[in-house]
């Protein structure tokens, strides 16, 4: 019998599902500023929160 640790076999969850489950289960929000579902004011709010909590993004990312 072969032992395979959890996460090393089977199927991979798509990134959107991971984000959805993270929010529902752990109240953790992962948001991309490039998400087309967001309006400009929502993107701006996310950007400001990110900068307040973690600082400005690296200069090399084009933003």
């Amino acid at each position: 019998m072969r032992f395979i640790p959890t996460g090393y076999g089977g199927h991979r969850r798509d990134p959107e599902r991971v984000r959805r489950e993270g929010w529902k289960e752990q109240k953790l929000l992962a948001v991309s500023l490039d998400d087309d579902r967001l309006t400009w004011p929502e993107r701006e709010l996310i950007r400001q929160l990110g900068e307040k909590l973690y600082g400005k993004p690296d200069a090399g990312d084009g933003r």
Side-chain angles (χ1 to χ4, degrees), residues 12-57:
R12 274 191 111 117
R13 297 179 296 173
D14 67 290
E16 186 63 28
R17 181 175 174 193
V18 172
R19 288 188 284 266
R20 186 180 317 110
E21 289 175 358
W23 173 248
K24 291 184 176 196
E25 296 171 8
Q26 300 178 16
K27 306 292 188 274
L28 182 69
L29 185 61
V31 181
S32 171
L33 289 176
D34 299 329
D35 193 322
D36 294 333
R37 298 172 291 184
L38 298 174
T39 62
W40 180 85
E42 292 167 338
R43 282 189 186 98
E44 187 63 16
L45 175 63
I46 298 296
R47 184 190 62 76
Q48 289 176 10
L49 285 170
E51 287 183 2
K52 179 179 181 177
L53 296 173
Y54 305 111
K56 293 191 182 244

